[in-house]
Amino acid sequence: MALHTIRLRAPWKCWQEDACIHWERPFGCPTNLSEDEVVRLVLRSDGTRAVAVLNGEVLGNAPGVYDVTGRLARRNTIVLRMEGDERIGGSGAEPPLDVRLVIASGFSEDDPVT
């Protein structure tokens, strides 16, 4: 199994709404994907919990791994919603989660994702 990782680093936009902190970042769809390649959104943290939203669709809780192969458009937006009343960082900073796209060929559900 071959893996290619794309880290979604700064710039992120951060704002607070009600009791939630929102982190938002646009990104493009990886290009030249073959039919046997799968794209996973991988969200890692050291205890930070969030709800992950891709292009307006709730994927689930973070940390987590989500198959986004058929959900990606040419341009995409990921939003992480976290409970809290203090903004962490600011516009251009990064959320307290590691966010990456992992592209794998020959991927199966039992394979580890790094």
Side-chain angles (χ1 to χ4, degrees):
M1 173 181 63
L3 294 177
H4 176 71
T5 300
I6 302 168
R7 291 203 54 206
L8 298 180
R9 297 186 178 176
W12 286 77
K13 179 180 166 187
C14 181
W15 76 93
Q16 186 167 344
E17 186 176 300
D18 300 323
C20 287
I21 299 165
H22 295 73
W23 289 91
E24 179 181 287
R25 186 185 188 287
F27 65 95
C29 182
T31 57
N32 299 322
L33 295 173
S34 65
E35 288 186 22
D36 70 331
E37 289 180 308
V38 176
V39 182
R40 302 268 189 223
L41 178 66
V42 179
L43 306 161
R44 295 185 187 160
S45 79
D46 291 333
T48 301
R49 308 289 293 164
V51 174
V53 180
L54 176 66
N55 299 330
E57 176 186 353
V58 174
L59 295 176
N61 294 321
V65 177
Y66 300 96
D67 182 348
V68 295
T69 308
R71 300 176 183 178
L72 294 177
R74 193 170 81 67
R75 295 296 305 155
N76 303 277
T77 301
I78 178 84
V79 176
L80 303 173
R81 293 191 310 230
M82 298 173 222
E83 289 186 22
D85 57 4
E86 282 189 38
R87 189 178 283 196
I88 303 168
S91 196
E94 294 185 29
L97 288 157
D98 180 48
V99 182
R100 43 182 86 202
L101 295 174
V102 176
I103 303 165
S105 58
F107 188 86
S108 88
E109 290 297 324
D110 298 326
D111 290 333
V113 176
T114 57

